[in-house]
Amino acid sequence: MAEFAKGLEGVIAAESRICKIDGEQGRLYYMGYSITDLVEHCTFEEVTYLLLYGELPTREQLAVFSAKMRNARELKQPVINMIKDFPKKAHPMELLQSVISYLSSYVEHKIHHGPHCNCRDTLHQLAEMATVVATYQRVQEGKEYLPPRKDLSHGANFLYMLRGEEPDPVEGEIMDKALILHAEHSFNASTFTARVVASTMSTCYCSISAAVGALFGSLHGGANEKVMDMVDEIGTPQAARDWVNKALDEKKKVMGMGHRVYRAKDPRAIVIEGYLEELSEMKNDRNACEILKEVESAFRERMEEKGKPIYPNVDFFSGAVYRMLGIPTRLFTPVFAIARAPGWLSHILEQRVDNRIYRPKAAYVGSDHRPLVPIEER
Amino acid sequence: MAEFAKGLEGVIAAESRICKIDGEQGRLYYMGYSITDLVEHCTFEEVTYLLLYGELPTREQLAVFSAKMRNARELKQPVINMIKDFPKKAHPMELLQSVISYLSSYVEHKIHHGPHCNCRDTLHQLAEMATVVATYQRVQEGKEYLPPRKDLSHGANFLYMLRGEEPDPVEGEIMDKALILHAEHSFNASTFTARVVASTMSTCYCSISAAVGALFGSLHGGANEKVMDMVDEIGTPQAARDWVNKALDEKKKVMGMGHRVYRAKDPRAIVIEGYLEELSEMKNDRNACEILKEVESAFRERMEEKGKPIYPNVDFFSGAVYRMLGIPTRLFTPVFAIARAPGWLSHILEQRVDNRIYRPKAAYVGSDHRPLVPIEER
């Protein structure tokens, strides 16, 4: 039998300059800049520029880029129709995947002009995602398409479209920063999908559409939804400790705890916990926040008994933040896609610079040659 | 520097029981049955059954399966609208990718019921492809949607929808057999994409949509289009020999020659060359056929001088067959997708049986930590 690594675990698939994860120290860098610095100093559009160009923009560069990205927010009528016709019970990720490849048709792709072609100019593949998701939700609620606003940040405009009114500036900023936290995280199934599709010289729209399909899978996106299911099940902070002890006694999984690559606390968890605190104060509703803190503390005590510290990851807090911002649970994974789109595009561009088509081998373990009996004699 | 195989070349990504390629002998097997036996004895629906269930069907099993697949051919009105609204100059692969994930929304996915869930029952992800492609072409020609017919084979019905009239039975059969030839070919970028997306437990529709995105890339699909460009450039059989010699002297690539895995003649090329002969006689037009034969012979002579035999692959003849069947060049890659869909679904089902999410590593070669200068100071 041939030896191989299932799921390509531990196998290097490519070199990359985009994302560095220091799991031991609990650090995350985009293009060399720490995530903590990025959320402190930058907007989502600025980070998008960084991911697409490899450098932070000057004020002039950002003004041009920002205008381009904001101009790309509006939906065309056929896309609005796709959203309106979309079956009510179906998942918005299927819609998002579908729309992004449909949008590919509106753009003249100049892939033969070089690896970056015009992917950084059209920006519909990034900008329209938020509009599609917000419009999907509006249609679910029986509302009409609300055109995006160009005077708001990517995060604030998303909340505006969702609610039909401008959010408080603090909420808009937290939404924008939450997107930064999820913009990139090296190779994972969706980013790898984007690179594999891009390696055929398909368009960046078609590659991102494919990545959305991967993120839709329950083993990939969706962890923060499950955390909120847990919060709802626990109900009150007082019930949290017993719930955790019971869950651990029954060897059930506590959602949002631990991370494949972080041995220390996920740096994004620290930032987003701060946003949850801020929103909880602002909205005078500390219930979810307190439940999560109790779960974390009860969980840590049990783990310390065993001598193996496990910390909360970003998903542990992000769902509660989204809910405080008025985002329905069904949109959590689509919001992840909105945030991750610049990361995907960054990997697509990098893949094309020194490309080879992905074509691994299969180890054949099937039948030897079988004689074919025609159907009349079967 | 970390060592790694670019494009995962030579790296085993999974075990598989679906497809065996014997490149030395020029043999290809689906589930143990040789491609030569399959095209001789089976229909495309029968081979689809084989790929999805691992065994050839009995007459009763095929009757049930066939009825299910034919019932899944019709388009819903929102999909017809998507096709009508699709920008005229855009590529039908973008549309096909978009429609397949859109269709995911009409199906109740039972992935938690087990790896095969209900993927083999709904069959819209396979059956509607032909209808979408034919309808795309009809709309391009200013015609209306023509509902599919249930009394025709998959291949014959495709030609019927395209032309608006029933094809000659020989044409219908050749179309159906040509689809069999392309139904499966082990791992390649699109099939691997389907498996990566499926490994997240995304739906089979979303996984196949992603695979369409990969097949769209110019390094993957599209070789038979380029062969026909060559045929058109050559023009007459008399001009073929000089054209080949000139091309080889100038070190240009002759399209449709050689194959990464076949050292002998691609067994599919032998079969499809026979179809080309048959159609050329039937239509009393031997021009393309003679040009290709001259190119093959001139090319072989030059290669024999160098002592390295290189044979034509399936793409060398398939474009000429499609053209004789009245299929426009723009539809060649979409026809490939129609044919390959059962292979993709077969791999998706196999992936789920013993799944691990695909998550290879990146070798980080980017900047060390860079201090962030706020935008005001840049």
Side-chain angles (χ1 to χ4, degrees):
Chain A
M1 276 233 313
E3 295 247 340
F4 71 101
K6 257 180 93 172
L8 293 171
E9 194 179 332
V11 174
I12 296 176
E15 290 178 339
S16 181
R17 304 176 175 279
I18 301 169
C19 181
K20 182 176 168 185
I21 303 167
D22 180 345
E24 293 302 323
Q25 304 289 321
R27 304 249 163 81
L28 169 65
Y29 305 89
Y30 300 171
M31 299 286 183
Y33 295 106
S34 86
I35 190 69
T36 323
D37 286 349
L38 288 168
V39 288
E40 190 181 335
H41 295 292
C42 300
T43 65
F44 181 69
E45 288 168 338
E46 214 173 330
V47 172
T48 299
Y49 185 100
L50 172 67
L51 286 166
L52 305 193
Y53 290 89
E55 298 293 339
L56 285 167
T58 63
R59 270 171 290 183
E60 294 72 25
Q61 287 167 331
L62 183 61
V64 172
F65 182 78
S66 225
K68 225 182 265 178
M69 195 159 156
R70 291 175 188 204
N71 282 328
R73 285 178 181 169
E74 272 201 57
L75 302 184
K76 289 149 197 78
Q77 191 58 47
V79 171
I80 298 174
N81 296 342
M82 282 170 72
I83 301 173
K84 284 188 178 164
D85 287 340
F86 194 69
K88 284 285 173 294
K89 285 168 69 181
H91 201 283
M93 287 295 274
E94 292 162 328
L95 176 65
L96 199 54
Q97 180 176 6
S98 177
V99 168
I100 301 303
S101 41
Y102 201 84
L103 288 181
S104 188
S105 68
Y106 287 94
V107 174
E108 196 198 338
H109 303 282
K110 300 180 177 169
I111 298 177
H112 56 287
H113 288 203
H116 296 97
C117 60
N118 54 342
C119 291
R120 299 183 296 200
D121 295 321
T122 71
L123 297 179
H124 294 278
Q125 76 281 44
L126 309 184
E128 282 193 40
M129 279 212 187
T131 324
V132 171
V133 175
T135 306
Y136 161 86
Q137 184 57 30
R138 295 184 65 81
V139 169
Q140 287 275 324
E141 295 170 8
K143 297 176 188 157
E144 283 300 308
Y145 168 60
L146 180 70
R149 269 175 52 177
K150 289 186 193 166
D151 60 331
L152 295 174
S153 75
H154 203 62
N157 175 58
F158 175 63
L159 293 181
Y160 161 72
M161 292 186 294
L162 210 53
R163 302 177 181 181
E165 56 186 38
E166 195 176 327
D168 180 282
V170 173
E171 291 182 297
E173 198 182 334
I174 288 179
M175 185 71 232
D176 206 58
K177 304 286 190 192
L179 295 176
I180 295 175
L181 290 179
H182 291 87
E184 167 54 20
H185 210 253
S186 190
F187 284 13
N188 45 65
S190 59
T191 302
F192 183 52
T193 298
R195 289 188 80 120
V196 172
V197 176
S199 81
T200 71
M201 291 293 146
S202 191
T203 74
C204 67
Y205 287 70
C206 291
S207 308
I208 289 177
S209 164
V212 171
L215 186 62
F216 179 32
S218 58
L219 296 182
H220 194 349
N224 51 5
E225 286 187 38
K226 288 177 199 141
V227 171
M228 293 317 287
D229 291 343
M230 177 181 78
V231 166
D232 291 338
E233 201 186 312
I234 295 175
T236 65
Q238 293 71 34
R241 192 158 291 265
D242 287 349
W243 190 94
V244 169
N245 285 325
K246 187 154 172 281
L248 290 175
D249 291 341
E250 292 171 359
K251 303 206 181 301
K252 278 202 281 190
K253 200 169 175 209
V254 177
M255 295 307 299
M257 282 293 168
H259 193 286
R260 191 171 56 95
V261 294
Y262 293 107
R263 300 283 159 264
K265 194 162 175 178
D266 181 337
R268 302 168 298 173
I270 298 169
V271 175
I272 206 154
E273 186 178 357
Y275 299 153
L276 180 57
E277 284 282 357
E278 200 173 343
L279 285 170
S280 301
E281 290 302 327
M282 189 176 151
K283 308 226 168 221
N284 203 16
D285 174 3
R286 294 197 50 86
N287 195 53
C289 182
E290 292 301 331
I291 290 175
L292 288 170
K293 283 175 177 295
E294 282 298 312
V295 170
E296 180 182 357
S297 134
F299 188 85
R300 188 186 304 123
E301 277 173 32
R302 286 288 294 260
M303 289 302 118
E304 275 168 2
E305 286 167 21
K306 290 198 195 172
K308 63 171 182 187
I310 295 182
Y311 303 93
N313 59 47
V314 66
D315 295 318
F316 188 72
F317 297 108
S318 63
V321 166
Y322 294 159
R323 189 182 281 180
M324 289 241 151
L325 291 171
I327 302 172
T329 311
R330 201 170 183 72
L331 301 192
F332 287 3
T333 307
V335 167
F336 191 172
I338 294 168
R340 184 56 56 88
W344 289 330
L345 185 51
S346 183
H347 280 277
I348 290 164
L349 298 176
E350 184 179 69
Q351 176 64 38
R352 288 184 186 155
V353 169
D354 182 29
N355 186 54
R356 180 152 335 151
I357 189 169
Y358 281 99
R359 214 157 35 182
K361 283 200 321 186
Y364 185 69
V365 293
S367 310
D368 281 333
H369 183 188
R370 297 199 269 181
L372 194 150
V373 178
I375 194 160
E376 298 75 25
E377 299 158 37
R378 266 174 231 152
Chain B
M1 276 232 312
E3 295 247 338
F4 70 101
K6 256 179 94 173
L8 293 171
E9 193 178 332
V11 174
I12 295 176
E15 291 179 338
S16 182
R17 304 176 173 278
I18 300 169
C19 181
K20 182 177 168 184
I21 303 167
D22 180 344
E24 293 302 323
Q25 303 289 321
R27 304 251 163 79
L28 169 65
Y29 305 88
Y30 299 171
M31 300 285 183
Y33 296 105
S34 86
I35 190 69
T36 323
D37 287 349
L38 288 168
V39 287
E40 190 181 334
H41 294 292
C42 300
T43 65
F44 181 68
E45 287 168 338
E46 216 172 330
V47 172
T48 299
Y49 185 101
L50 172 67
L51 286 166
L52 304 193
Y53 289 89
E55 298 294 338
L56 285 167
T58 63
R59 270 170 290 182
E60 294 71 27
Q61 287 168 330
L62 183 61
V64 172
F65 182 77
S66 227
K68 224 181 267 177
M69 195 158 155
R70 291 175 188 204
N71 282 328
R73 284 177 182 170
E74 273 201 55
L75 302 184
K76 289 148 198 80
Q77 191 58 46
V79 171
I80 298 173
N81 296 342
M82 282 170 73
I83 300 173
K84 284 188 177 163
D85 288 340
F86 193 69
K88 284 285 171 296
K89 284 168 69 181
H91 200 285
M93 287 296 275
E94 292 161 329
L95 176 65
L96 200 54
Q97 180 176 6
S98 176
V99 168
I100 301 303
S101 41
Y102 201 84
L103 287 181
S104 189
S105 68
Y106 287 94
V107 173
E108 196 198 337
H109 303 282
K110 299 179 176 169
I111 298 177
H112 56 288
H113 287 202
H116 297 95
C117 62
N118 55 341
C119 291
R120 299 184 295 199
D121 294 322
T122 70
L123 298 179
H124 294 278
Q125 76 281 44
L126 309 185
E128 281 193 41
M129 279 211 185
T131 325
V132 170
V133 174
T135 306
Y136 162 86
Q137 183 58 29
R138 295 184 65 80
V139 169
Q140 287 276 325
E141 295 170 8
K143 296 176 186 157
E144 282 302 307
Y145 168 60
L146 180 71
R149 269 175 53 178
K150 289 185 192 166
D151 60 330
L152 296 174
S153 75
H154 204 62
N157 175 59
F158 175 63
L159 293 181
Y160 161 73
M161 292 186 295
L162 210 53
R163 300 176 182 182
E165 57 186 37
E166 195 177 327
D168 179 283
V170 172
E171 292 182 298
E173 199 183 332
I174 287 178
M175 185 69 233
D176 206 58
K177 303 287 189 192
L179 295 176
I180 294 176
L181 290 178
H182 291 87
E184 167 52 21
H185 210 254
S186 191
F187 284 14
N188 46 65
S190 59
T191 301
F192 183 52
T193 298
R195 290 188 79 120
V196 172
V197 176
S199 81
T200 70
M201 290 293 145
S202 189
T203 75
C204 67
Y205 286 71
C206 292
S207 308
I208 289 177
S209 164
V212 171
L215 186 62
F216 180 34
S218 58
L219 295 183
H220 193 350
N224 51 7
E225 285 188 38
K226 288 177 201 141
V227 172
M228 294 316 288
D229 291 344
M230 176 180 79
V231 166
D232 292 338
E233 200 186 313
I234 296 175
T236 66
Q238 292 72 33
R241 192 158 291 266
D242 287 350
W243 190 94
V244 169
N245 285 326
K246 186 154 172 281
L248 290 176
D249 291 342
E250 291 170 0
K251 302 205 183 301
K252 278 201 283 191
K253 201 170 174 214
V254 177
M255 295 308 299
M257 283 294 169
H259 193 287
R260 189 173 55 97
V261 293
Y262 293 107
R263 300 283 159 265
K265 195 163 175 176
D266 181 337
R268 302 169 298 173
I270 297 169
V271 175
I272 207 154
E273 185 177 358
Y275 299 154
L276 180 57
E277 284 284 356
E278 202 174 340
L279 286 169
S280 300
E281 290 302 325
M282 192 176 149
K283 309 229 167 216
N284 204 15
D285 174 4
R286 295 197 50 86
N287 195 54
C289 182
E290 292 301 330
I291 289 174
L292 289 170
K293 281 172 179 296
E294 282 297 312
V295 170
E296 181 183 356
S297 133
F299 188 85
R300 187 184 308 120
E301 277 174 32
R302 287 287 295 259
M303 288 302 118
E304 275 168 2
E305 285 167 21
K306 290 196 194 174
K308 62 170 184 189
I310 296 182
Y311 303 94
N313 58 46
V314 66
D315 295 318
F316 188 72
F317 297 108
S318 64
V321 166
Y322 294 159
R323 188 182 282 182
M324 288 242 151
L325 292 171
I327 302 171
T329 312
R330 199 167 183 74
L331 301 192
F332 287 3
T333 307
V335 166
F336 191 173
I338 293 169
R340 185 55 57 85
W344 288 330
L345 185 51
S346 183
H347 280 278
I348 290 164
L349 297 176
E350 185 179 69
Q351 176 65 38
R352 288 186 187 153
V353 169
D354 182 29
N355 186 54
R356 182 155 329 153
I357 189 169
Y358 281 99
R359 215 157 35 182
K361 283 201 318 189
Y364 186 69
V365 293
S367 311
D368 281 334
H369 184 187
R370 299 199 268 181
L372 196 151
V373 179
I375 194 159
E376 299 75 24
E377 300 159 35
R378 267 174 231 154

